[in-house]
Amino acid sequence: MSPIETSLSLSGERFTAVYRLSGSPSEVEVRARAICLEQTVEFPEALIPNDAIRSQIVGEVASITPVPPDQDGHVTNGLEERVEVAIRYPIEAAGRELTQLLNVLFGNVALQPGVRLQRVELPPSLLHRYGGPRYGIARLRQRLGIDERPLLCTALKPMGLSPTALAELAFKLALGGIDLIKDDHGLSDQPFCRFDERVARCAEAVARANQATGRTSLYLPNLTAPADEISARAAHASAQGAGGMLLCPGLTGLDSLRRLADDERLALPLLSHPALLGGLSLGPGHGISHGLLFGTLARLAGADASIFPSYGGRFAFTRGQCRAIANAALEPLGALQPIWPVPAGGMRLEQVPELVRFYGHDSMLLIGGDLHAGPDLVARCQAFLRLAEETSAHTSNH
Amino acid sequence: MSPIETSLSLSGERFTAVYRLSGSPSEVEVRARAICLEQTVEFPEALIPNDAIRSQIVGEVASITPVPPDQDGHVTNGLEERVEVAIRYPIEAAGRELTQLLNVLFGNVALQPGVRLQRVELPPSLLHRYGGPRYGIARLRQRLGIDERPLLCTALKPMGLSPTALAELAFKLALGGIDLIKDDHGLSDQPFCRFDERVARCAEAVARANQATGRTSLYLPNLTAPADEISARAAHASAQGAGGMLLCPGLTGLDSLRRLADDERLALPLLSHPALLGGLSLGPGHGISHGLLFGTLARLAGADASIFPSYGGRFAFTRGQCRAIANAALEPLGALQPIWPVPAGGMRLEQVPELVRFYGHDSMLLIGGDLHAGPDLVARCQAFLRLAEETSAHTSNH
């Protein structure tokens, strides 16, 4: 390409993506340099038409460091990445858009085996473009009037029940002391269970239970829906008295979560569900790290709580991966509120003490099917609450 | 759970998801049954509250069959899936929503290692809910006035150029005979290259070149944007004379593509880019098969052409995976138009004959950087066109 004039004059501020690669030091250097180009100009280095683009737009390798075998509890099995490469990109490349930030961080390299996006370092000048979680830990505690213990969450299911039957369940779950009662993420707007009717009936049932108990339980309908219907469903849910909202950003796009979080007219707590999205975390050696995907990115997009499949259930996340998620949900991230890690995926009542010890008081425990494994749903919810209260009274937070 | 009355009365029609699993026959049976529950009721089988849900909602295992080692050219390396399990879900579970169809097909199991979604079989009663591609192969040929040869595509880049500089490139590319000139997928609305100005200038430049050549080149701006801005950008692009649109459904959500395709006010050809989304295809042994992700699902969402990284470039897709994508783009799928497979990712001029032979005439060849590897951009585009014309004149379509 012949030289092209440019008046490019960027701030010089950069954000950092840390990738894990495997290979020999010289291989890794070549691949790191290739990522710098791939994620910005996507153009052969020799053909870049001017020095301003080369110096201001192209990513810069900041460091290449070996990864200690057990860092963050990640299993290293010979297939797994061994070297961390930190690459710095100009903040202007990501604009003010979450979609484009994701694109610069991992758009094209998501298609390459052997490159895993491990974590990011975002400067205040970039972070301040994201409102982040509206509630997070503190304001959701305030909203619920719960000072200390972990929050209790469950799902309305199974799919196939009518709105009336689900509302009956919602009533009992609230009566039993569950703090957040969400739609199962598979409930959308099916002919056998319409969204509008379900939301109206379940919100009413939970309000009625709250009247009876004097407590605050929230009902969170599932807003995962076609792109042109999410906003209308959110407005309807809010008008009907929903206490929060559930979204699967893997199905709708992560920015749909950001859009709901930024919507002043809604201002309700948001729960993120990992459907589909989580497929990017499996790796090993490629994809996005568990902590970044379920912790940092969910938080950046404005989730107040992020559901993930915990160790000890139906899925295969390790303790180390779960710890990384909880850490990313809670650790400092500019001015963004810390959010609730929500271990889930086949948790059982008997695991509550262990879960509270592992995740601490600032966690939201999601138990689904196991609450129904007895003759009295209300009593089982009460047992769940008692277990959470007792264990947290006897364990220090961490 | 105590029995709950239900008046559930579904049509009995089902759609099929075919998963690849590895393991012994008895293991596979247990896991197949677990998927039937996971993807529908997400509830322990014994606790399902009534027989109507058990018989009408829960997935059914239709078949478990061994996978021949080389079928579809997939590499089997000992890590890879060995058995195909076909599971039938009620069409009502997926409602009329692409988000929910994806959820039933692969929402939660995306989080499980060792399960790969290989292909789907959708009955007419489900397919007819999707408008699919507006242009596909035939109408895009008509729009461009090109009967027989593969289409030529390129990207405006590198990031860092001003709208004026990009428009100058667009003019030359159109002059040289490129049919579809798209924004690089990393161009969004950065401060150094605003969307509105870029679209206006590039659309004008391509129109001016079309005046000079008497040919039809289309300019396709990148609509990947925040969820609440895509529609406005699409309207602006359309008003400014854009000839089509590019979207990265991995960044925006696949349903954002469907929404654009269904929008009667736009009615422009849509090009799908694999950024981020493609991370789900890497596997091996988990994720979504290449053919389904880049072929069937892109088509179902309404893409007229689907970009993927071809063998022989900077990425690591195999010939078999590329063949599966091209097949899924072109094979019968209800009443949905066949679409253009767009091999890309570091393709070079010298590969054009080989690409035409491999992908056939109904393919769109995307060459980016390599068009700039010479002193005369227009001449190099003309060489690209000549190569495509000559090779397709000497090869039969397949």
Side-chain angles (χ1 to χ4, degrees):
Chain A
M1 181 180 265
S2 44
I4 293 179
E5 289 303 326
T6 182
S7 55
L8 201 62
S9 173
L10 305 190
S11 66
E13 275 204 271
R14 298 207 169 217
F15 64 99
T16 302
V18 178
Y19 304 94
R20 288 195 174 181
L21 311 178
S22 54
S24 69
S26 63
E27 272 171 12
V28 165
E29 248 188 77
V30 170
R31 285 169 62 207
R33 187 67 199 157
I35 295 171
C36 292
L37 296 166
E38 187 72 55
Q39 296 304 98
T40 54
V41 291
E42 209 191 326
F43 211 68
E45 184 152 23
L47 300 181
I48 293 174
N50 65 54
D51 285 342
I53 290 176
R54 197 171 283 113
S55 64
Q56 295 184 55
I57 295 281
V58 175
E60 293 172 355
V61 178
S63 64
I64 299 180
T65 47
V67 182
D70 290 315
Q71 197 188 319
D72 294 336
H74 281 266
V75 182
T76 51
N77 58 6
L79 286 171
E80 197 124 326
E81 60 277 14
R82 288 282 195 235
V83 173
E84 282 193 353
V85 173
I87 295 181
R88 300 170 69 242
Y89 300 108
I91 58 168
E92 289 88 350
R96 61 190 163 73
E97 301 159 326
L98 182 56
T99 40
Q100 176 60 6
L101 176 60
L102 287 173
N103 185 44
V104 176
L105 289 171
F106 206 56
N108 266 13
V109 290
L111 289 150
Q112 292 183 346
V115 184
R116 186 162 171 91
L117 179 61
Q118 187 63 20
R119 60 178 188 279
V120 299
E121 292 159 19
L122 307 175
S125 53
L126 200 155
L127 273 177
H128 85 109
R129 295 173 196 183
Y130 296 91
R134 186 180 291 272
Y135 285 83
I137 302 285
R139 276 196 66 200
L140 190 53
R141 284 203 179 282
Q142 214 169 28
R143 172 81 184 81
L144 294 167
I146 298 169
D147 284 342
E148 180 64 16
R149 65 166 171 83
L151 302 185
L152 311 190
C153 182
T154 194
L156 292 174
K157 51 183 167 179
M159 184 195 289
L161 292 181
S162 67
T164 307
L166 290 169
E168 197 182 313
L169 283 181
F171 180 77
K172 289 181 183 169
L173 293 161
L175 213 58
I178 306 297
D179 303 305
L180 297 103
I181 300 162
K182 71 171 186 73
D183 279 350
D184 197 24
H185 77 287
L187 303 180
S188 56
D189 184 37
Q190 287 101 341
F192 51 83
C193 187
R194 289 288 176 207
F195 178 82
D196 285 0
E197 186 189 348
R198 179 174 77 247
V199 171
R201 289 192 188 273
C202 292
E204 184 278 330
V206 171
R208 190 156 33 86
N210 286 343
Q211 284 275 337
T213 61
R215 296 179 70 264
T216 302
S217 290
L218 304 178
Y219 165 59
L220 296 86
N222 176 24
L223 293 190
T224 307
D228 37 0
E229 297 182 31
I230 296 175
S231 286
R233 288 200 200 173
H236 177 85
S238 179
Q240 294 291 321
M245 298 182 288
L246 176 81
L247 195 76
C248 302
L251 299 170
T252 62
L254 198 62
D255 196 71
S256 294
L257 187 56
R258 195 275 316 153
R259 182 187 189 176
L260 285 177
D262 283 354
D263 191 333
E264 290 292 338
R265 297 163 303 178
L266 301 172
L268 291 173
L270 288 173
L271 190 49
S272 173
H273 187 284
L276 198 59
L277 187 68
L280 285 171
S281 70
L282 294 191
H286 62 86
I288 301 179
S289 77
H290 295 75
L292 180 54
L293 188 61
F294 298 106
T296 314
L297 291 179
R299 193 171 162 192
L300 197 62
D304 297 292
S306 177
I307 301 173
F308 60 94
S310 182
Y311 75 92
R314 291 194 310 277
F315 296 80
F317 284 25
T318 65
R319 285 167 177 258
Q321 290 161 347
C322 294
R323 173 68 67 216
I325 294 167
N327 286 347
L330 293 164
E331 73 196 2
L333 181 66
L336 271 65
Q337 298 293 320
I339 65 170
W340 299 87
V342 190
M347 299 296 101
R348 299 179 308 282
L349 277 196
E350 72 222 45
Q351 292 172 290
V352 168
E354 153 73 12
L355 291 171
V356 176
R357 278 191 295 270
F358 186 85
Y359 290 105
H361 297 193
D362 289 339
S363 62
M364 188 185 291
L365 309 180
L366 197 171
I367 297 186
D370 195 48
L371 288 183
H372 302 270
D376 186 341
L377 178 60
V378 176
R380 216 156 152 82
C381 293
Q382 288 164 338
F384 183 15
L385 177 57
R386 212 161 41 239
L387 266 171
E389 284 176 341
E390 284 171 8
T391 318
S392 58
H394 293 95
T395 55
S396 61
N397 203 3
H398 53 70
Chain B
M1 182 180 267
S2 44
I4 293 179
E5 290 303 327
T6 181
S7 55
L8 201 61
S9 173
L10 306 189
S11 66
E13 276 204 89
R14 298 205 168 221
F15 63 100
T16 302
V18 177
Y19 304 94
R20 289 195 173 180
L21 311 178
S22 53
S24 70
S26 63
E27 273 172 11
V28 165
E29 250 187 78
V30 170
R31 285 169 61 207
R33 186 69 198 156
I35 295 172
C36 292
L37 296 166
E38 187 73 52
Q39 296 304 99
T40 54
V41 292
E42 209 191 327
F43 211 66
E45 186 154 24
L47 301 180
I48 293 174
N50 64 56
D51 285 341
I53 291 176
R54 197 171 282 116
S55 64
Q56 295 184 52
I57 295 281
V58 175
E60 293 172 354
V61 178
S63 64
I64 299 181
T65 46
V67 182
D70 290 316
Q71 196 187 320
D72 293 338
H74 281 266
V75 182
T76 50
N77 57 6
L79 285 170
E80 198 124 328
E81 59 278 14
R82 288 282 194 234
V83 173
E84 282 193 352
V85 173
I87 295 181
R88 299 171 70 242
Y89 301 108
I91 58 168
E92 290 88 350
R96 61 190 163 73
E97 301 160 327
L98 182 57
T99 41
Q100 177 60 7
L101 176 61
L102 287 172
N103 185 44
V104 176
L105 289 171
F106 206 56
N108 266 13
V109 290
L111 289 149
Q112 292 183 347
V115 184
R116 188 164 171 89
L117 179 61
Q118 187 63 20
R119 60 178 188 278
V120 298
E121 292 159 20
L122 307 175
S125 53
L126 201 155
L127 273 177
H128 85 116
R129 296 173 195 183
Y130 295 90
R134 185 179 293 272
Y135 285 82
I137 302 285
R139 276 196 66 200
L140 189 55
R141 283 204 180 280
Q142 214 170 28
R143 173 79 185 83
L144 293 167
I146 298 169
D147 285 342
E148 181 62 18
R149 65 166 171 82
L151 302 185
L152 311 189
C153 182
T154 194
L156 292 174
K157 50 182 170 181
M159 185 194 287
L161 291 182
S162 66
T164 308
L166 290 170
E168 196 181 316
L169 284 180
F171 181 78
K172 290 181 182 169
L173 293 162
L175 213 57
I178 306 297
D179 304 304
L180 296 103
I181 300 162
K182 71 171 187 72
D183 280 349
D184 197 25
H185 77 287
L187 303 181
S188 56
D189 184 37
Q190 288 101 338
F192 51 82
C193 187
R194 289 290 176 205
F195 178 83
D196 285 359
E197 186 188 349
R198 180 174 77 247
V199 172
R201 288 192 189 274
C202 292
E204 184 279 328
V206 171
R208 191 157 33 86
N210 286 342
Q211 285 275 337
T213 61
R215 296 180 69 265
T216 302
S217 290
L218 304 179
Y219 165 58
L220 295 86
N222 176 23
L223 292 192
T224 307
D228 37 1
E229 296 183 33
I230 295 175
S231 286
R233 288 199 200 174
H236 177 85
S238 179
Q240 294 290 321
M245 299 184 287
L246 176 81
L247 195 76
C248 302
L251 299 170
T252 62
L254 198 61
D255 196 71
S256 294
L257 187 56
R258 195 275 316 153
R259 181 187 190 176
L260 285 176
D262 283 354
D263 192 332
E264 290 292 340
R265 296 164 303 178
L266 301 172
L268 291 174
L270 288 173
L271 190 49
S272 173
H273 187 284
L276 198 59
L277 188 67
L280 285 171
S281 71
L282 294 191
H286 62 87
I288 301 179
S289 78
H290 295 74
L292 180 54
L293 188 61
F294 298 108
T296 316
L297 290 180
R299 194 171 162 192
L300 198 61
D304 296 293
S306 177
I307 302 173
F308 60 92
S310 181
Y311 74 91
R314 290 195 310 276
F315 295 81
F317 283 23
T318 66
R319 283 168 179 259
Q321 290 160 346
C322 293
R323 173 67 68 216
I325 295 167
N327 286 349
L330 293 164
E331 72 194 1
L333 182 66
L336 272 64
Q337 298 293 320
I339 66 171
W340 299 86
V342 191
M347 298 296 100
R348 298 178 309 284
L349 277 196
E350 72 222 44
Q351 292 172 288
V352 168
E354 153 72 11
L355 291 171
V356 176
R357 278 190 296 270
F358 186 85
Y359 291 105
H361 298 191
D362 288 340
S363 62
M364 188 185 289
L365 309 180
L366 198 171
I367 297 186
D370 195 48
L371 288 183
H372 302 271
D376 186 339
L377 179 59
V378 176
R380 213 152 156 85
C381 293
Q382 289 164 338
F384 182 15
L385 177 57
R386 210 160 44 236
L387 267 171
E389 284 176 339
E390 285 171 7
T391 319
S392 56
H394 293 94
T395 54
S396 61
N397 203 3
H398 53 70

